[in-house]
Amino acid sequence: MKIGIGNDHAAVAMKKEIAGYLEELGYEVVNYGTDSDESCSYAVYGEKVARAVAAKDVDLGILICGTGLGISLAANKVRGIRAAVCSEPCTARLSRQHNDANILAFGARIIGIETAKEIVKAWLDAEFEGGRHQTRVDMIMAIEER
């Protein structure tokens, strides 16, 4: 499975650690983020990863900025994207099981690296349950059509 990862200047160190962790777990990682600590816009990287996920260039995406909020808001503007900001593993797991989230976002200034790894693992190990959840995801996606 191929995972796109993106970040702004606030999350360079965390992105590198998470990318390495993903590779240890056997995932192929595509870096769409910055590798510089120089100030930049999270919106650029949120859109890059979201467009890669939407185009199926990668299977899933992970986004990291200071809080996870700005970068996820940018990603969610791309048709077909369901980016979820998660600061603990339970929400991450449920975002996949119930919302079929195709992008995970979190904040490098909010959580530590070990928590980030737990969140990533919970998210990747979860699978969409479909059923009644599919109806709700369809309703969310229909908003894009209106």
Side-chain angles (χ1 to χ4, degrees):
M1 181 181 289
K2 193 183 296 189
I3 299 176
I5 192 165
N7 62 289
D8 69 0
H9 61 279
V12 173
M14 184 173 277
K15 184 266 303 270
K16 289 178 182 175
E17 288 211 39
I18 293 299
Y21 178 65
L22 290 167
E23 288 169 349
E24 285 174 18
L25 293 175
Y27 295 96
E28 182 181 346
V29 178
V30 180
N31 179 15
Y32 293 95
T34 185
D35 290 317
S36 170
D37 293 328
E38 188 173 321
S39 183
C40 61
S41 177
Y42 52 76
V44 170
Y45 304 103
E47 181 180 7
K48 282 183 180 186
V49 171
R51 293 220 180 271
V53 171
K56 300 192 182 331
D57 294 336
V58 294
D59 299 296
L60 297 169
I62 295 178
L63 295 171
I64 317 166
C65 67
T67 63
L69 294 171
I71 204 163
S72 70
L73 290 171
N76 276 319
K77 296 297 182 183
V78 174
R79 182 179 301 274
I81 296 304
R82 291 173 305 283
V85 181
C86 301
S87 295
E88 42 72 33
C90 181
T91 302
R93 178 177 49 82
L94 290 171
S95 78
R96 291 275 291 148
Q97 291 176 334
H98 293 188
N99 308 116
D100 200 17
N102 49 16
I103 294 181
L104 170 66
F106 47 86
R109 294 177 178 155
I110 304 300
I111 60 172
I113 189 62
E114 293 309 315
T115 299
K117 288 177 181 178
E118 290 173 13
I119 291 167
V120 166
K121 183 83 166 87
W123 189 70
L124 291 171
D125 285 350
E127 292 184 22
F128 182 51
E129 294 176 352
R132 72 182 193 275
H133 304 296
Q134 183 64 60
T135 302
R136 294 170 183 148
V137 170
D138 290 344
M139 291 172 74
I140 292 168
M141 300 315 293
I143 294 168
E144 291 179 349
E145 304 303 319
R146 293 196 292 271

